[in-house]
Amino acid sequence: MSTWEQRVQGAWASIDEYEGREDAFRALIDGLAGERPAGDPVAAFERASAWDSTGHSDRAVPLYQEALAGGLGGYRRRRAVIQMSSSLRNVGRVEQAVGLLEAERAVDPATLDEPTRGLADAVSATLALCLADTGREREAVSVAVAALAPHLPRYQRSMANYARRLVEPQ
């Protein structure tokens, strides 16, 4: 891991110390992002995340879009999709969020590295929230239960079947 990545991780680990001083935290992340080349998608992602984590979904969305359009890849790309979708939900653009998350769930897991695959449940959880906001509650419960089922100590098969049956035509 590069020194820059370590410094970014350190900054994020300290976010709770900035309670009530969110502008100072954003300035810290902005300074780190400013060390990247102009137009760097990682810099845009880190800035988006800082705005998002300090309660400014509206400021985060365009930066997430910039990061994704700039070719953000791997683990950060999937995080950007999840986080941007959550922000879109917060600003009332939930249908757009559902589309992004459904597309993300359709990505072949075999094409992803292990850490990126590990975010699959976060994709599903965010999708479930978005679906509930669109009035598709049964589908939301189905997505959530299906994501939870593999983690249960028992009843995995039953819960997966129940999740599927929630959205199957009668």
Side-chain angles (χ1 to χ4, degrees), residues 98-109:
V98 168
L100 289 168
L101 293 163
E102 287 176 337
E104 192 62 28
R105 286 183 77 208
V107 172
D108 180 359

Side-chain angles (χ1 to χ4, degrees), residues 64-150:
Y64 287 132
Q65 290 170 325
E66 177 185 332
L68 291 167
L72 188 67
Y75 186 72
R76 276 191 173 106
R77 186 203 60 78
R78 182 163 263 198
R79 286 182 56 208
V81 170
I82 294 164
Q83 292 168 204
M84 183 171 72
S85 297
S86 178
S87 290
L88 288 167
R89 175 180 173 258
N90 290 338
V91 299
R93 293 165 54 190
V94 70
E95 292 291 348
Q96 186 179 355
V98 168
L100 289 168
L101 293 163
E102 287 176 337
E104 192 62 28
R105 286 183 77 208
V107 172
D108 180 359
T111 66
L112 305 172
D113 62 25
E114 183 58 35
T116 306
R117 275 194 308 273
L119 293 172
D121 290 341
V123 172
S124 294
T126 308
L127 177 59
L129 290 170
C130 291
L131 288 169
D133 282 358
T134 65
R136 295 161 60 184
E137 292 88 355
R138 287 183 68 83
E139 192 175 347
V141 172
S142 174
V143 168
V145 171
L148 176 63

Side-chain angles (χ1 to χ4, degrees), residues 3 14 17-19 22 26 36 38 48 53 55 60-61 66 71-72 86 91 106 113 115 123 127 137 148 157 168:
T3 303
S14 73
E17 297 169 22
Y18 289 87
E19 184 79 28
E22 289 81 7
R26 288 191 304 271
R36 306 285 296 191
S53 295
V61 168
E66 177 185 332
L72 188 67
S86 178
V91 299
D113 62 25
V123 172
L127 177 59
E137 292 88 355
L148 176 63
R157 190 168 148 266
E168 282 182 348

Side-chain angles (χ1 to χ4, degrees), residues 2-65:
S2 75
T3 303
W4 185 85
E5 290 284 356
Q6 290 172 333
R7 291 180 13 237
V8 168
Q9 281 188 359
W12 281 104
S14 73
I15 191 170
D16 290 338
E17 297 169 22
Y18 289 87
E19 184 79 28
R21 300 180 308 118
E22 289 81 7
D23 55 335
F25 179 75
R26 288 191 304 271
L28 172 64
I29 295 297
D30 192 53
L32 289 164
E35 296 176 20
R36 306 285 296 191
D40 181 70
V42 172
F45 170 77
E46 293 299 337
R47 286 182 175 116
S49 298
W51 281 108
D52 205 1
S53 295
T54 58
H56 297 276
S57 295
D58 58 325
R59 300 284 301 264
V61 168
L63 290 166
Y64 287 132
Q65 290 170 325

